[in-house]
Amino acid sequence: MAEFTMELSDEQKEVRDWLHGFAADVIRPAAAEWDEREETPWPVIQEAAKVGIYSLDFYAQQYFDATGLGIPMAMEELFWGDAGIALSIVGTGLAAVGVLANGTEEQIGTWIPQMYGDANDVKVAAFCSSEPDAGSDVASMRTRAVYDEAKDEWVLNGTKTWATNGGIANVHVVVAVVDPEIGSKGHASFIVPPGTPGLSQGQKFKKHGIRASHTAEVVLDNVRVPGSCLLGGKEKLDQRLARAREKAKKGGERLKNAAMATFEASRPAVGAMAVGTARAAYEVALEYAQTREQFGRPIIDNQGVAFQLADMATSVDAARLLVWRASWMAVNGKPFNAAEGSMSKLFASETAKKVTAQAVQILGGNGYTREYPVERMHRDSAIYTIFEGTSEIQRLVIARTLSGMPIR
């Protein structure tokens, strides 16, 4: 087990500086254009693939960093560049992690390479979980998967929403209900291969922020996938369902708490994204306050501006500390007895909204225009308090964890 430390190793610093250089030289110059176009930035993803950032190997190296700091460090630097483009680059990782966590070795070897493609022909993947009536309430999921034993096929029907890369992905990973009687434990994940009949893109959302990231509905109409596309295989699923049914009889609330704990481990990564956006806005505001003059002096000489910047810097650092602590705990198997994962995501996401708003205020009228990036950063920041569990859900999880109440 790695000791918790705030000091990055030389290797980690090299990776951080490399990512920062890519964010500064490639992502940030393209940010305004792709935000306006509201399209997937394929050329930027291709550049990321060429240098090795858009690849499973890079993601895995950071994920298995024993200190736990690889992923949050990478997310912070990429999202410092631009949230929309960064999400287009890392969005495939959501589907890849789903396969890595639940798939067999054969499934991992078969499908993950098809998610990324290569530098000459990049592909993306989509992880499809949320539904129109099942966002925070995952137990209300309605997409069904029914096994056709005669053909050894699963038949999927339903509609997914808020799917990053939904409909344009080469490979879709779809979460569906196989046993509605045991809530979220009755869910399973399926690979939908490229070109499978019945899968189509529904509404593409025109969003307030992260507009370079493709977000859409995915419609599943009698989608048939081979039995081999059930992640983990049917034998493993049957065993898991049997255990879950037995546990449900003995104590349903413990079952729900265990499900919530799974979500808890992934939240620090979203917190790191928020830290990156907040830090970017703070840096723009600081530079502006040092160079913008009013009444014959830089506006940072005014206490009202200086104090705001002091609070912004403090909040960004505090958010990073919470994210790094939770990330270290997750990698090293430390239990989140105080919902530390939710704490990090809650504080970092709220910090991003507040700091980007303060940056707009410091830039004044200029901050309200698209000539300066803080306007875009402010729009982008709103997503952090919504996806991967809203701030209200985070507070609910924290409060009930601290009080010992059941998490429902």
Side-chain angles (χ1 to χ4, degrees):
M1 182 179 70
E3 293 296 324
F4 181 70
T5 176
M6 296 302 300
E7 182 64 31
L8 297 177
S9 68
D10 290 341
E11 183 179 353
Q12 288 172 322
K13 289 176 182 176
E14 282 186 21
V15 173
R16 179 198 62 192
D17 294 345
W18 172 55
L19 289 169
H20 185 79
F22 184 84
D25 297 339
V26 181
I27 294 178
R28 188 164 282 191
E33 175 189 351
W34 293 99
D35 178 71
E36 290 285 347
R37 292 175 64 166
E38 299 191 52
E39 297 174 357
T40 300
W42 292 107
V44 183
I45 299 175
Q46 187 171 37
E47 286 300 310
K50 286 179 179 178
V51 300
I53 294 173
Y54 184 70
S55 70
L56 176 64
D57 287 345
F58 171 75
Y59 199 85
Q61 286 174 14
Q62 305 316 309
Y63 185 81
F64 291 111
D65 182 339
T67 69
L69 303 185
I71 288 294
M73 179 184 65
M75 294 298 172
E76 180 177 338
E77 294 304 330
L78 293 173
F79 280 75
W80 173 91
D82 176 68
I85 292 178
L87 191 57
S88 291
I89 293 173
V90 306
T92 293
L94 299 173
V97 168
V99 175
L100 280 171
N102 302 298
T104 63
E105 289 187 9
E106 182 179 358
Q107 289 170 331
I108 292 169
T110 298
W111 296 112
I112 291 183
Q114 295 187 50
M115 293 181 175
Y116 286 92
D118 57 49
N120 296 316
D121 185 22
V122 293
K123 305 292 186 183
V124 295
F127 183 75
C128 307
S129 178
S130 293
E131 298 184 1
D133 296 320
S136 299
D137 184 9
V138 294
S140 296
M141 190 178 292
R142 295 180 180 177
T143 296
R144 292 296 304 274
V146 177
Y147 185 57
D148 183 342
E149 189 171 0
K151 296 184 177 180
D152 185 27
E153 291 180 338
W154 288 89
V155 185
L156 280 63
N157 283 283
T159 299
K160 295 296 182 177
T161 193
W162 310 122
T164 299
N165 299 329
I168 66 169
N170 195 47
V171 176
H172 291 76
V173 177
V174 177
V175 182
V177 179
V178 295
D179 186 341
E181 299 300 319
I182 51 176
S184 61
K185 285 294 184 181
H187 299 173
S189 296
F190 299 85
I191 292 285
V192 180
T196 300
L199 185 147
S200 62
Q201 179 183 306
Q203 175 187 6
K204 178 187 175 183
F205 296 103
K206 296 181 71 67
K207 304 187 297 295
H208 177 62
I210 56 167
R211 301 197 308 194
S213 174
H214 177 96
T215 311
E217 291 181 331
V218 174
V219 179
L220 303 145
D221 183 10
N222 286 323
V223 171
R224 286 183 168 267
V225 298
S228 60
C229 287
L230 166 65
L231 289 181
K234 193 165 188 305
E235 182 178 353
K236 183 178 178 180
L237 173 66
D238 289 342
Q239 292 172 354
R240 178 168 63 81
L241 292 178
R243 290 194 302 269
R245 293 183 190 114
E246 187 62 28
K247 287 182 180 179
K249 292 177 182 178
K250 295 180 179 178
E253 295 301 345
R254 288 194 298 274
L255 186 65
K256 292 173 183 175
N257 283 336
M260 291 300 296
T262 302
F263 288 108
E264 187 77 347
S266 66
R267 286 171 174 154
V270 180
M273 299 174 188
V275 171
T277 300
R279 183 184 120 212
Y282 158 71
E283 290 176 0
V284 172
L286 176 62
E287 181 180 5
Y288 185 88
Q290 291 171 322
T291 57
R292 170 70 167 174
E293 291 192 0
Q294 290 289 278
F295 305 106
R297 60 180 183 176
I299 62 173
I300 198 170
D301 285 353
N302 297 309
Q303 196 175 77
V305 173
F307 279 15
Q308 281 197 77
L309 288 163
D311 287 343
M312 293 160 74
T314 302
S315 295
V316 171
D317 273 12
R320 184 184 299 109
L321 283 165
L322 285 171
V323 166
W324 282 20
R325 179 186 69 169
S327 299
W328 173 81
M329 291 176 68
V331 166
N332 288 282
K334 298 288 186 181
F336 287 155
N337 293 326
E340 288 89 349
S342 286
M343 282 185 180
S344 69
K345 198 267 185 183
L346 170 65
F347 190 82
S349 59
E350 294 291 343
T351 291
K353 284 187 69 174
K354 182 177 180 180
V355 167
T356 55
Q358 288 173 306
V360 171
Q361 189 68 24
I362 289 172
L363 270 66
N366 286 328
Y368 199 64
T369 71
R370 295 187 183 180
E371 296 299 314
Y372 288 79
V374 293
E375 178 271 340
R376 184 180 67 254
M377 294 168 183
H378 184 43
R379 286 188 285 108
D380 290 343
S381 69
I383 192 61
Y384 301 125
T385 63
I386 298 172
F387 71 179
E388 197 74 18
T390 64
S391 287
E392 290 73 24
I393 288 294
Q394 309 308 317
R395 292 185 176 100
L396 180 67
V397 171
I398 294 166
R400 292 190 169 178
T401 300
L402 295 176
S403 68
M405 293 172 62
I407 301 174
R408 291 192 282 264

